[in-house]
Amino acid sequence: MAPSRISDPPDVPEGHVEELTSEQLQSYHNDGYLIIPNALDASTTASLLHETREMLSSFSIDDHPMTKFSAGGNNQDHVGDDYFLSSGDKIRFFFEEDAFDSTTGSLLKPKHRAINKIGHYLHALSPAFRNSTITPSNVGIARSLGFRDPQVLQSMIICKQPEIGGRVAPHQDSTFLYTNPPSAVGFWIALEDATAENGCLSFAKGSHRRWPVKSRFVRKQNGAGVEFVDVEGARFPHDFQVEETAQEDEVYTMEEVKAGTLVLIHGNLLHKSEKNLSGKSRFIYTFHVIEGEKEYDERNWLQPPKAGFSKMYQ
């Protein structure tokens, strides 16, 4: 359970690095999230969306275990198989639960309309997504947020398919990507307009200062599947200004955003999205960054590839 290998922070990549303004930083620290419109230009956004559709059309289901993924609750038996647990250094496809007939188990949708998400190593294996992940701009953001050794540990395309895109229950990202103390930050990028109709994000503003990370999503100690366990280490980031009382009935603010928008999400922040019952998809690309100087242990469901997690400072 040793910390990640560390050294003095290396130089960031050459080129123009855009850091967050003082106003943006204040908004992020107050609310726990920050919306940055036009983070990707229209051409790049369209290219990533095209790449996504190509992947959805070309993957094979002939030898697929038909693993489903749902973030609607604590029942994670369906993601406890090896296809999911060994996906940290691969690009794999996870089906939407409602894409199947509950009686026969057969697909109700064509495969490109049945996938919930694609993950978890797009930032390394897909040139298009790699080129939109460790960029001068994102490096500048990481530096603005105080990262000494920011490391990308996972990346995903969340499809939020028309008519069947599942509801995502209120959650904290650090539950699933726990470091001691917590350090995860989500970089969430809309590839299509995210609206109230197709399942945009909603946030409990300021909840990152009220809600500790109480549980972790880990591999079972017998090696068979995954489970949630109580956090034994730190529950808030180091030197964090914490509000004393959590609000049991948090008020959520729905945030509609345009394609190309980047949303930064603090790992302790409660956020959610509703089911997509509309006829329009809501494709997004997201990757998560942790502090390499913090402890990331072998119980976490996602384990680093042989080369280690992807360092943002080169």
Side-chain angles (χ1 to χ4, degrees):
M1 298 175 63
S4 303
R5 294 188 299 273
I6 61 174
S7 59
D8 291 336
D11 294 333
V12 299
E14 295 181 359
H16 179 59
V17 179
E18 296 181 1
E19 298 192 7
L20 299 176
T21 66
S22 58
E23 292 79 10
Q24 286 175 316
L25 279 172
Q26 190 62 52
S27 179
Y28 175 78
H29 291 313
N30 288 344
D31 296 339
Y33 68 98
L34 178 68
I35 297 174
I36 305 176
N38 303 313
L40 291 186
D41 60 41
S43 175
T44 302
T45 304
S47 176
L48 294 179
L49 188 58
H50 175 76
E51 177 72 10
T52 298
R53 298 195 187 284
E54 286 290 311
M55 286 191 285
L56 288 172
S57 297
S58 62
F59 86 97
S60 174
I61 61 173
D62 292 340
D63 56 352
H64 196 288
M66 310 305 277
T67 300
K68 307 181 188 72
F69 186 86
S70 170
N74 287 346
N75 181 10
Q76 298 292 338
D77 291 343
H78 54 283
V79 298
D81 62 14
D82 182 69
Y83 185 81
F84 174 77
L85 290 176
S86 63
S87 64
D89 60 354
K90 301 174 182 68
I91 296 177
R92 287 184 167 170
F93 299 80
F94 302 92
F95 283 90
E96 190 70 59
E97 284 191 310
D98 287 350
F100 294 86
D101 185 293
S102 59
T103 302
T104 66
S106 58
L107 274 177
L108 298 172
K109 301 284 185 180
K111 66 176 185 177
H112 69 278
R113 291 279 299 271
I115 292 298
N116 170 291
K117 76 171 183 175
I118 306 170
H120 293 93
Y121 209 38
L122 292 155
H123 61 280
L125 298 182
S126 165
F129 285 96
R130 181 173 64 243
N131 292 338
S132 294
T133 302
I134 302 179
T135 65
S137 178
N138 289 335
V139 167
I141 290 171
R143 188 164 64 179
S144 296
L145 295 177
F147 279 97
R148 287 177 53 84
D149 181 20
Q151 299 182 12
V152 180
L153 74 165
Q154 72 162 11
S155 51
M156 303 177 289
I157 298 164
I158 308 296
C159 296
K160 205 75 154 172
Q161 298 282 2
E163 301 172 347
I164 61 170
R167 174 180 182 266
V168 179
H171 66 284
Q172 299 162 297
D173 289 345
S174 283
T175 294
F176 301 91
L177 304 168
Y178 180 76
T179 60
N180 186 19
S183 64
V185 174
F187 287 60
W188 187 100
I189 303 168
L191 302 182
E192 299 179 297
D193 292 351
T195 68
E197 288 72 27
N198 68 5
C200 66
L201 291 178
S202 295
F203 303 94
K205 285 188 177 183
S207 60
H208 63 305
R209 291 179 278 110
R210 296 187 292 271
W211 284 86
V213 180
K214 297 180 180 180
S215 65
R216 297 175 54 191
F217 187 58
V218 300
R219 297 177 182 232
K220 291 182 178 179
Q221 292 185 321
N222 62 8
V226 291
E227 62 183 346
F228 289 93
V229 299
D230 291 341
V231 168
E232 297 178 353
R235 297 185 171 195
F236 285 101
H238 179 65
D239 290 338
F240 198 63
Q241 185 177 356
V242 176
E243 295 182 5
E244 292 186 1
T245 56
Q247 300 177 13
E248 292 301 324
D249 296 321
E250 291 282 353
V251 176
Y252 284 82
T253 300
M254 185 175 289
E255 297 282 10
E256 296 184 315
V257 299
K258 294 291 187 181
T261 299
L262 166 65
V263 185
L264 301 176
I265 306 173
H266 192 284
N268 276 58
L269 185 77
L270 288 168
H271 57 291
K272 65 177 184 176
S273 65
E274 300 305 322
K275 190 177 177 102
N276 182 10
L277 298 176
S278 78
K280 296 182 179 180
S281 59
R282 191 223 66 181
F283 284 18
I284 69 97
Y285 172 60
T286 184
F287 63 92
H288 288 85
V289 177
I290 58 168
E291 178 57 74
E293 296 187 356
K294 308 303 181 185
E295 180 185 27
Y296 188 92
D297 68 31
E298 71 279 357
R299 288 217 66 191
N300 281 309
W301 79 267
L302 178 70
Q303 289 299 301
K306 291 181 179 179
F309 293 137
S310 301
K311 291 177 175 289
M312 294 188 76
Y313 297 166
Q314 304 297 325

